[in-house]
Amino acid sequence: METSEAVELIRGGVARTGGAWADLGAGSGTFTLALAELLGPGGSVYAVDARPDVLAVKARPGGARVVPHVADFTEPLPFENLDGVLMSNSLHFVESDAQAAVLKGCAQ
């Protein structure tokens, strides 16, 4: 998938520019870059993935700051006051009996 396609998929869920978001299970960063584009230069995206080898995402000019963070998103994360969380391709990797707890953790 191209970044432009990802932008169109998530555009309706990003109400405004700026702010701080987390992309949980960022992988190679297609949706991280899409989110960074939508947030613009006043925003920040924490690209979270357990595998450091896939977090080679670099912000593009005019987009939000991208901060790679190696972690298991099913565990508590150090981010506070997030404006949003993106889980484009990750929740289905979490055991079904743990999904509700992961989502509850995202909402705090």
Side-chain angles (χ1 to χ4, degrees):
M1 173 178 294
E2 297 294 321
T3 302
S4 60
E5 295 170 305
V7 166
E8 292 309 312
L9 281 173
I10 66 172
R11 181 182 303 278
V14 181
R16 62 180 177 84
T17 59
W21 283 61
D23 180 7
L24 305 182
S28 63
T30 299
F31 283 92
T32 301
L33 292 174
L35 183 56
E37 183 176 320
L38 290 169
L39 294 178
S44 297
V45 180
Y46 298 97
V48 179
D49 204 287
R51 296 179 33 212
D53 58 309
V54 300
L55 284 175
V57 182
K58 301 291 184 216
R60 294 181 178 168
R65 175 177 69 115
V66 174
V67 181
H69 186 80
V70 178
D72 177 352
F73 70 83
T74 65
E75 299 295 327
L77 295 168
F79 315 123
E80 295 181 3
N81 302 317
L82 291 174
D83 296 294
V85 173
L86 177 66
M87 299 177 79
S88 62
N89 193 27
S90 57
L91 191 60
H92 66 276
F93 287 107
V94 177
E95 294 293 329
S96 60
D97 60 341
Q99 289 178 355
V102 170
L103 291 173
K104 183 178 179 182
C106 290
Q108 295 178 343

